[in-house]
């Protein structure tokens, strides 16, 4: 790995958590945990059937208690602790495995299972319990708490911060992503535009593999620790 790297941006997707036992966002059959994504991850689905949508994310939240971070999460947390330069881990995942591994320079662009969002006032609060429709916001008193998940058609979080980090990055690494969901799928082109080296780590070639200078194929639990060893020397 070149020695002139100071600033790193790492994008992680469902593939990094799959080895911990969490289903990828959209499986080979087009479903997420047995549901059409359109039925559980759109504002229209929430308005049409709030009980289904709330129950779906309650089940995903409960599933977190059954899984633990894997070697890929742990390696990125070790990089976070040891890297002397700038580092930002941008995850598309809504699980908490990066945090539980110990990462702190972290941004959840698609929201978090362990958070509830008030649709009335916009305040987000930590939430670990079931979240039935009509749950009351402690901030404004409105019965409008919903899963703090960025649905299709909604703007991902902190995109300005991500672009600022990509503009300064010497290295952009994508781990376990499909390369098909925007805006994250466009980060590699943005990083290359700003002059960063680009590296993909994935089990299989992604939809955006051709945009990367280098792709390494294999399990994240093997590829990520190897990359971190290279970076830390």
């Amino acid at each position: 790995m070149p020695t002139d790297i100071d600033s790193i941006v790492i994008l992680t997707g469902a593939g990094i958590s799959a080895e911990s036992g969490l289903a990828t966002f959209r499986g080979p059959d087009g479903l997420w945990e047995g549901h059409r994504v359109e039925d559980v991850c759109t504002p229209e689905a929430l308005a049409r059937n709030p009980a289904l949508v709330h129950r779906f994310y309650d089940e995903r939240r409960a599933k977190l208690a059954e899984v633990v971070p894997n070697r890929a999460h742990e390696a990125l947390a070790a990089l976070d602790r040891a890297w002397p330069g700038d580092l930002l881990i941008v995850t598309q995942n809504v699980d908490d495995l990066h945090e539980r591994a110990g990462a702190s320079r972290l941004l959840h662009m698609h929201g978090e299972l362990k958070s509830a969002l008030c649709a009335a006032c916009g305040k987000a609060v930590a939430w670990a319990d079931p979240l039935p429709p009509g749950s009351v916001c402690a901030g404004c008193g409105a019965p409008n708490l919903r899963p703090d998940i960025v649905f299709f058609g909604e703007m991902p979080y902190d995109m300005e911060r991500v672009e600022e980090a990509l503009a300064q990055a010497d290295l952009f690494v994508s781990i376990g992503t499909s390369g098909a969901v925007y805006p994250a799928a466009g980060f590699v082109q943005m990083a290359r535009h700003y002059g960063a080296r680009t590296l993909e780590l994935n089990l299989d070639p992604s939809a955006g593999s051709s945009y990367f200078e280098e792709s390494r194929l294999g399990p994240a639990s093997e590829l990520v620790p190897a990359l971190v060893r290279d970076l830390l020397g």
Side-chain angles (χ1 to χ4, degrees), residues 118-123 136-145:
C118 180
C121 72
K123 179 180 175 61
V136 174
C137 173
C140 72
N144 290 114
L145 288 183

Side-chain angles (χ1 to χ4, degrees), residues 57-192:
Y57 290 101
D58 284 349
E59 292 169 355
R60 306 284 74 70
R61 194 179 306 111
K63 177 71 174 178
L64 295 181
E66 303 173 12
V67 299
V68 297
N70 61 55
R71 292 178 61 216
H73 297 105
E74 292 165 354
L76 290 183
L79 180 66
D80 188 0
R81 289 189 295 270
W83 186 252
D86 292 329
L87 172 70
L88 180 63
I89 301 169
V90 181
T91 187
Q92 297 173 274
N93 300 337
V94 295
D95 62 63
D96 63 345
L97 296 181
H98 281 303
E99 290 94 331
R100 284 160 59 188
S104 60
R105 288 187 273 184
L106 177 68
L107 185 159
H108 281 270
M109 63 177 290
H110 289 159
E112 303 177 60
L113 285 170
K114 288 192 169 180
S115 178
L117 177 69
C118 180
C121 72
K123 179 180 175 61
V125 294
W127 199 275
D129 300 318
L131 181 69
S135 295
V136 174
C137 173
C140 72
N144 290 114
L145 288 183
R146 52 161 274 189
D148 189 7
I149 303 296
V150 175
F151 293 150
F152 279 102
E154 297 178 334
M155 181 61 68
Y157 292 141
D158 296 315
M159 287 299 95
E160 288 186 8
R161 182 181 171 197
V162 173
E163 182 166 359
E164 289 172 1
L166 288 169
Q168 300 299 320
D170 302 305
L171 174 67
F172 171 70
V173 184
S174 175
I175 303 169
T177 71
S178 67
V181 178
Y182 283 83
F187 289 174
V188 58
Q189 292 159 282
M190 190 180 299
R192 291 190 67 169

